[in-house]
Amino acid sequence: DKSGSLYLFMNLAFALTFLIVRVLGYGLCIADIWAAFPLWQSAGSPFRAVVLGIHVGYVLNLYWARFVVRAAYRRLCATKEKDA
């Protein structure tokens, strides 16, 4: 039942977990990669391709985050309207 409080809680828990792990955590990992640039600046093309792939994955997570936040916001607003 999508109108129940458990569904709302799980929806918000998913959104919060997604944002913490895939946006904040992933972003911190990318910052760490760049902080260690002197260690890998002389690495070959395969390693640089991995670094590029990690950045592409982060951009994809940012894209998905828009939809996750929008869905959680809609669910939260629908609950507030129902209570009013």
Side-chain angles (χ1 to χ4, degrees), residues 13-31 53-69:
F14 170 77
L16 185 61
T17 302
F18 187 94
L19 292 173
I20 290 171
V21 174
R22 293 200 175 200
V23 175
L24 180 63
Y26 209 126
L28 290 173
C29 289
I30 288 179
I54 290 170
H55 285 75
V56 169
Y58 185 61
V59 170
L60 187 58
N61 281 328
L62 291 176
Y63 177 75
W64 287 335
R66 294 179 348 165
F67 298 106
V68 170
V69 168

Side-chain angles (χ1 to χ4, degrees), residues 1-79:
D1 181 26
K2 290 186 176 185
S3 63
S5 58
L6 180 61
Y7 185 81
L8 174 65
F9 172 76
M10 296 307 288
N11 192 328
L12 296 177
F14 170 77
L16 185 61
T17 302
F18 187 94
L19 292 173
I20 290 171
V21 174
R22 293 200 175 200
V23 175
L24 180 63
Y26 209 126
L28 290 173
C29 289
I30 288 179
D32 187 55
I33 288 171
W34 283 103
F37 180 72
L39 298 174
W40 60 268
Q41 68 183 1
S42 62
S45 295
F47 187 82
R48 289 178 181 261
V50 169
V51 171
L52 177 63
I54 290 170
H55 285 75
V56 169
Y58 185 61
V59 170
L60 187 58
N61 281 328
L62 291 176
Y63 177 75
W64 287 335
R66 294 179 348 165
F67 298 106
V68 170
V69 168
R70 189 178 306 149
Y73 180 76
R74 274 196 322 256
R75 176 63 52 205
L76 194 58
C77 288
T79 302

